Amino acid sequence: MNSNDLKEKILQLKKEKNAVIVAHNYQVDDVQEVADVIGDSLALSQYCAENDKDIIVFCGVHFMAESAKILSPDKTVLLPEIDAGCPMADMVTADALRKEKEKHPGAVVVCYINSSAEVKAESDICCTSSNAVKVVKSIKEKDILFVPDQNLGSYVAKMVPEKNIILWNGYCITHHKVSMSEVKEVREIHPDALLLVHPECQKEIAEAADFVGSTKQIIDYAKQSESSKFIIGTEMGVLYQLKKDNPDKTFYLLSKGLICPNMKKTSLKSVYDALNEMKYEINLDEGIRLKAKESLDRMLQIS
Ligand code: CIZ
Ligand code: SF4
């Protein structure tokens, strides 16, 4: 089947099965095209919880489909590529977190949404890259154990200096490798472009940027900005939405390396197979789900 045939079949199956397709901003363009909605992991999970469809095809990585299941326990959540994981999320396990918590008994545990349901269940409150600063500011205690992203954690520590942030040594393999030499090089080539970067990039990269934000914040920033040229320091999939929203503006990718191999595993064929064969279903232990949901709910209450 060519891609047009696949797209047609996907839309047909989606209707027959009363399903919804959601795609993360980092998915390949073809997959974003067949999705009912495109967004960040939290917005997609909330969208899934609010609509009346029976089946959710979550085009993203494992922890994202889990978050959708946490908020929509009665729906069937399918992850088209079962091996699409997030290496950063895998850098903290519930066991390792329990051990670290013993070393910091008074600390409040904040987990980035890029974490497993078990880790969310072991945490006090969740955060996203959009609301991490707000979440940490809302906490009364001074000591915060922040997992798993050391770069987002460092960014928050800088923005909320009154807190003592204990960092975990996790990082995103895609954003962490962006280098200062790439920043210098691309700035030289496009001196009149604004540099917008994700807080998963290392501290010096964030410090060199004109704006630091989540995918949604970068997309919103580019849309309202009077500038017409932007260097984008996050996964290349966001270029789809940026170009769609701003046909008269120009976008350059900060680094050729800004491709998440796990996000790129999902293709039109995998979306078709997911719907056709009802795979791969994401299920959670109910005890874990409820505890993880408490962490998400605490975040939603303050943001
Ligand atoms: O939460 C998300 O969707 C991620 C991983 C990135 C972002 O900035 O939206
Ligand atoms: Fe995980 Fe990084 Fe890929 Fe996002 S871009 S899913 S943080 S590896």
Side-chain angles (χ1 to χ4, degrees):
M1 266 189 279
N2 66 31
S3 69
N4 282 337
D5 291 344
L6 269 173
K7 279 179 194 163
E8 215 171 283
K9 291 258 188 223
I10 287 168
L11 298 179
Q12 201 180 318
L13 271 176
K14 189 181 80 162
K15 217 168 160 189
E16 267 170 48
K17 301 208 172 183
N18 196 32
V20 63
I21 301 173
V22 303
H24 192 267
N25 288 316
Y26 296 163
Q27 291 287 293
V28 297
D29 292 5
D30 265 354
V31 169
Q32 296 199 41
E33 257 174 52
V34 291
D36 294 283
V37 60
I38 305 163
D40 63 27
S41 61
L42 178 64
L44 294 178
S45 298
Q46 287 179 305
Y47 176 89
C48 295
E50 282 157 15
N51 77 57
D52 59 359
K53 300 287 191 272
D54 304 318
I55 298 164
I56 296 160
V57 181
F58 205 115
C59 305
V61 292
H62 198 271
F63 79 84
M64 299 181 175
E66 280 192 344
S67 298
K69 187 70 182 179
I70 292 169
L71 297 182
S72 304
D74 300 328
K75 295 180 182 174
T76 300
V77 177
L78 302 176
L79 180 68
E81 289 290 339
I82 197 61
D83 293 333
C86 169
M88 169 159 70
D90 295 338
M91 289 176 192
V92 58
T93 62
D95 256 352
L97 178 53
R98 273 190 289 271
K99 286 195 186 107
E100 192 65 20
K101 277 165 73 171
E102 279 168 21
K103 292 189 212 155
H104 310 282
V108 173
V109 181
V110 178
C111 72
Y112 188 22
I113 195 151
N114 292 39
S115 54
S116 66
E118 283 90 349
V119 165
K120 289 185 176 79
E122 202 56 54
S123 300
D124 295 302
I125 185 166
C126 206
C127 75
T128 67
S129 39
S130 295
N131 63 26
V133 169
K134 203 169 169 187
V135 164
V136 168
K137 275 188 177 162
S138 78
I139 295 167
K140 282 195 284 301
E141 287 79 356
K142 188 177 167 72
D143 293 342
I144 312 262
L145 176 56
F146 191 96
V147 300
D149 188 11
Q150 58 179 280
N151 293 320
L152 180 61
S154 304
Y155 176 71
V156 172
K158 191 181 156 196
M159 303 302 278
V160 197
E162 64 274 24
K163 299 290 182 195
N164 173 36
I165 309 232
I166 304 149
L167 298 173
W168 193 266
N169 66 0
Y171 56 88
C172 163
I173 53 163
T174 298
H175 289 85
H176 192 77
K177 65 176 185 245
V178 174
S179 69
M180 270 317 277
S181 61
E182 288 174 307
V183 171
K184 283 186 194 117
E185 192 183 328
V186 74
R187 282 274 205 198
E188 260 168 45
I189 306 172
H190 308 292
D192 51 349
L194 292 179
L195 175 62
L196 319 182
V197 314
H198 198 280
E200 286 171 17
C201 293
Q202 294 193 59
K203 202 174 172 188
E204 67 214 51
I205 311 292
E207 281 169 358
D210 297 298
F211 178 74
V212 181
S214 66
T215 56
K216 179 181 185 322
Q217 288 166 334
I218 288 176
I219 289 166
D220 290 347
Y221 185 97
K223 207 169 177 178
Q224 57 75 42
S225 169
E226 276 166 21
S227 184
S228 64
K229 289 180 188 166
F230 304 89
I231 301 159
I232 301 301
T234 189
E235 213 278 349
M236 60 163 299
V238 297
L239 296 173
Y240 174 84
Q241 189 72 46
L242 286 167
K243 289 176 184 166
K244 199 169 159 191
D245 289 349
N246 311 280
D248 301 329
K249 297 183 179 178
T250 312
F251 299 94
Y252 310 99
L253 198 62
L254 168 56
S255 157
K256 286 198 296 291
L258 279 165
I259 301 180
C260 172
N262 282 283
M263 281 286 179
K264 271 30 188 182
K265 284 180 180 164
T266 310
S267 63
L268 280 180
K269 177 74 166 70
S270 31
V271 177
Y272 171 76
D273 290 344
L275 272 167
N276 196 35
E277 296 166 38
M278 293 293 287
K279 66 184 189 187
Y280 293 90
E281 199 177 332
I282 301 296
N283 284 305
L284 295 170
D285 171 273
E286 186 60 6
I288 300 277
R289 187 189 74 81
L290 288 171
K291 281 175 87 182
K293 185 168 181 294
E294 280 175 30
S295 288
L296 280 173
D297 285 344
R298 280 190 205 107
M299 165 185 80
L300 294 172
Q301 272 159 26
I302 63 129
S303 64

